[in-house]
Amino acid sequence: MTNRLPIAEGLFTWPAQQPALLASRCRACGIASFPVAQSCMACSGQDVEVEELPGRGTLWTWTIQQFMPKSPYNSGETPETFRPYGVGYLELPGGVRVEGRLTENDPAKLHVGMEMEVVFDTWRTEPNGDEIVSFFFKPVA
Amino acid sequence: MDVAIIGIGIHPFGRTPARSGLQQGAYAARLALKDAGVEWRDMEFAFGGSISAGNADALGNELGLTGIPFINVANGCATGGSSLMTAYNTIRSGAHDIGLVSGFDKHDRGAFNADPAAMGLEQWYGELGLMMTTQFFAMKIQRYMHDYGISENTLARVAEKAFINGSLNPNAWRRAPVPVEEIAGSMMVSNPLTKYMFCSPSEGGVALVLCRADKAKNYCAKPVYLKSAVLKSRRYGSFEVFAPSQALQQVDGPTVDASRAAFEMAGVGPGDIDVMQLQDTESGAEVMHMAENGFCEHGEQEQLIQSGATHIGGSMPINTDGGCLANGEPIGASGLRQVYENVLQLRGDAGEHQVPGNPRLGYTHVYGAPGISAVTILQR
């Protein structure tokens, strides 16, 4: 059986039936931040609680990364297998705008304000067979 | 106590395989000292920095070991601006009368690869391919175009102007104009920005000699006065590079804050400025920085750029030496290059790229990761 491991601990609920991105919210000023932080960037408060972010939002802005980044990029791709990928900020209502990779890389199919959902999928497979899971933003059909 | 720039020196930007970054810094420093008519041993302090070419303090090995306080500055794209601000405050405070500011660098080819840990971020952010300044600038202008109606052609026009100005500047790297169609049609790097709309890491060096304003005429027939030098970092809520999340409510960025403080300190307004150097690491940045620095309203850039207002002969000449687009970006030297160019302009010594009409006030602006901005205002 293959192990499916999150790309980082504490980034999203895992394992879970329906995983969700995790944010910290400041009990003093109410500002949310992703990923979870120990203190609040807005008011310097240190009294924060962890909460699940909504799984759906609107695309605030986006681009397509057309060339393969240098290290620390670690996708298991080679220059020959590299495929351009979309990147964007998804506005999660009541939460925060989260940056992430998009499942879509065709600029003609992307526009500011479109509905997207947060999905969780295999990001790369390690030499020992472990699958590393990350989060992605996918257009809502 | 006001502060004057009495000497300037530059090593040509671009690629110089025969000289290390430090040697390019020393070359610029010797020219600046000569321009001011002083010797290295006359300097009471020196501040400087490079990102990829070693400690600026090692300039002592090239120029001579004189015992002065030499502070290495490392502040990303605002390294030069930070050195200059510190020198400005040192002279204003009365601690020293005369000193040197240096910036140089020598980077590898290709986009910068930033280390997440150095920016207070976790490794996954880099592994996923999000640690790219190019993406940030593309996403910022993408949203800006959506909000304010800037066209793709205007992005190409900014780069077209940069290469025209670079062709007039003997110290620039890119010295050939590029047709606007070729810019727009070149390889897409990060939508909507193409290859020619991005600057590249490069090499170069700049040095400035500064002194108390009341002694400036002893050294220099045409001193240029530093009316303000301001550095700001981001506040919560500004849209910044290397941010895994952004606030729902956006506030003004460090450029707006630095600009306002600099104008207040100098006692002048955007309408008084005759020549300006605005950070143009890509063509969208120049567009947005025009408004963020107070030179126009958001959205007015479309008409201003299309009508040629930002060209050397226009009403608001921007990046008259070709900017980052034509000079590349040796990080440690880049912000000081802008100041070098404005001193040339205010002295009337800019040759083929001289702004007409005897300019009196010049403005420089840099922006860098992870959300810092430095502004200077110069007056002859």
Side-chain angles (χ1 to χ4, degrees):
Chain A
M1 194 184 133
T2 40
N3 278 322
R4 300 196 80 209
L5 305 171
I7 187 164
E9 289 292 335
L11 207 55
F12 43 84
T13 52
W14 191 267
Q17 202 73 35
Q18 196 135 42
L21 294 175
L22 292 171
S24 48
R25 189 177 292 276
C26 177
R27 285 198 177 96
C29 75
I31 289 292
S33 186
F34 172 85
V36 170
Q38 302 300 312
S39 55
C40 176
M41 271 191 275
C43 78
S44 314
Q46 290 180 283
D47 185 13
V48 298
E49 58 191 340
V50 176
E51 69 175 36
E52 294 188 2
L53 286 168
R56 207 165 157 145
T58 52
L59 188 62
W60 193 76
T61 186
W62 61 275
T63 185
I64 309 289
Q65 175 68 34
Q66 300 281 1
F67 64 91
M68 185 166 158
K70 298 179 194 172
S71 170
Y73 187 62
N74 184 6
S75 62
E77 292 166 291
T78 65
E80 290 71 37
T81 63
F82 173 76
R83 288 179 64 242
Y85 57 91
V87 174
Y89 279 94
L90 192 63
E91 182 161 326
L92 299 171
V96 68
R97 290 177 191 140
V98 175
E99 185 180 17
R101 286 177 66 118
L102 313 179
T103 59
E104 182 59 67
N105 71 353
D106 179 356
K109 292 178 182 165
L110 293 167
H111 60 91
V112 169
M114 71 189 287
E115 284 270 310
M116 290 196 150
E117 59 182 343
V118 184
V119 297
F120 299 83
D121 205 349
T122 301
W123 159 240
R124 67 168 189 267
T125 304
E126 299 286 57
N128 66 4
D130 287 353
E131 289 183 6
I132 305 299
V133 176
S134 186
F135 65 96
F136 301 86
F137 305 146
K138 183 182 177 186
V140 173
Chain B
M1 177 61 60
D2 273 348
V3 177
I5 299 174
I6 53 170
I8 58 173
I10 192 166
H11 183 283
F13 279 37
R15 298 262 173 228
T16 310
R19 284 199 189 101
S20 69
L22 187 69
Q23 287 167 338
Q24 295 181 41
Y27 178 102
R30 290 190 181 102
L31 286 181
L33 293 165
K34 189 177 172 201
D35 184 44
V38 295
E39 301 286 336
W40 173 238
R41 73 177 78 90
D42 299 324
M43 297 298 101
E44 297 174 10
F45 69 86
F47 304 145
S50 90
I51 303 299
S52 307
N55 286 344
D57 156 87
L59 277 177
N61 296 351
E62 297 276 338
L63 301 175
L65 300 170
T66 59
I68 56 168
F70 197 130
I71 299 178
N72 294 307
V73 178
N75 212 4
C77 299
T79 293
S82 301
S83 301
L84 187 55
M85 184 197 71
T86 312
Y88 173 72
N89 289 331
T90 296
I91 293 173
R92 281 218 308 177
S93 73
H96 291 294
D97 289 348
I98 186 167
L100 181 127
V101 169
S102 158
F104 54 86
D105 240 316
K106 188 178 182 93
H107 303 295
D108 293 337
R109 287 161 200 277
F112 293 113
N113 55 331
D115 174 20
M119 294 288 177
L121 297 170
E122 296 168 51
Q123 199 62 23
W124 64 266
Y125 188 73
E127 285 182 24
L128 279 181
L130 303 177
M131 196 83 199
M132 302 291 295
T133 53
T134 41
Q135 287 171 8
F136 163 76
F137 287 114
M139 288 195 283
K140 189 177 176 194
I141 189 64
Q142 183 93 282
R143 178 73 196 194
Y144 198 86
M145 291 163 82
H146 171 269
D147 287 347
Y148 298 109
I150 305 298
S151 68
E152 290 186 8
N153 181 264
T154 287
L155 299 181
R157 292 274 174 213
V158 170
E160 179 195 34
K161 169 190 59 87
F163 298 127
I164 290 171
N165 292 355
S167 75
L168 304 173
N169 172 12
N171 291 312
W173 184 16
R174 316 278 189 204
R175 301 226 46 218
V178 182
V180 71
E181 301 77 19
E182 195 177 330
I183 293 164
S186 66
M187 186 184 78
M188 189 62 79
V189 170
S190 200
N191 306 54
L193 300 167
T194 66
K195 183 178 81 170
Y196 283 117
M197 296 179 190
F198 276 103
C199 82
S200 302
S202 70
E203 305 171 16
V206 178
L208 310 170
V209 177
L210 289 85
C211 80
R212 291 168 53 140
D214 60 350
K215 295 192 174 173
K217 288 266 165 91
N218 298 347
Y219 300 104
C220 179
K222 291 188 278 188
V224 167
Y225 300 96
L226 195 50
K227 302 306 287 184
S228 55
V230 175
L231 173 73
K232 293 283 188 182
S233 66
R234 65 221 167 275
R235 287 181 287 135
Y236 178 74
S238 64
F239 183 67
E240 298 302 338
V241 63
F242 298 152
S245 67
Q246 308 267 5
L248 294 181
Q249 299 294 326
Q250 211 174 323
V251 305
D252 287 332
T255 292
V256 174
D257 293 348
S259 176
R260 283 192 186 137
F263 280 125
E264 192 179 318
M265 191 183 279
V268 298
D272 300 321
I273 301 295
D274 301 307
V275 54
M276 55 211 77
Q277 318 298 332
L278 308 180
Q279 183 87 337
D280 62 330
T281 41
E282 44 79 29
S283 54
E286 179 171 317
V287 173
M288 295 182 287
H289 290 152
M290 287 168 66
E292 290 181 14
N293 285 290
F295 295 112
C296 66
E297 295 298 323
H298 292 297
E300 284 181 356
Q301 300 98 321
E302 182 70 16
Q303 188 273 331
L304 286 166
I305 291 167
Q306 291 289 343
S307 69
T310 62
H311 279 254
I312 285 171
S315 58
M316 47 191 298
I318 297 176
N319 294 330
T320 45
D321 65 350
C324 290
L325 289 171
N327 286 280
E329 191 187 21
I331 294 182
S334 199
L336 298 179
R337 170 187 54 76
Q338 298 178 326
V339 175
Y340 177 95
E341 169 66 8
N342 273 357
V343 171
L344 275 190
Q345 291 286 348
L346 301 184
R347 286 179 177 177
D349 289 344
E352 279 195 90
H353 55 113
Q354 178 68 45
V355 165
N358 208 6
R360 180 175 156 270
L361 278 164
Y363 183 100
T364 72
H365 157 261
V366 293
Y367 169 86
I372 50 176
S373 190
V375 168
T376 73
I377 295 174
L378 302 181
Q379 183 188 309
R380 74 173 152 77

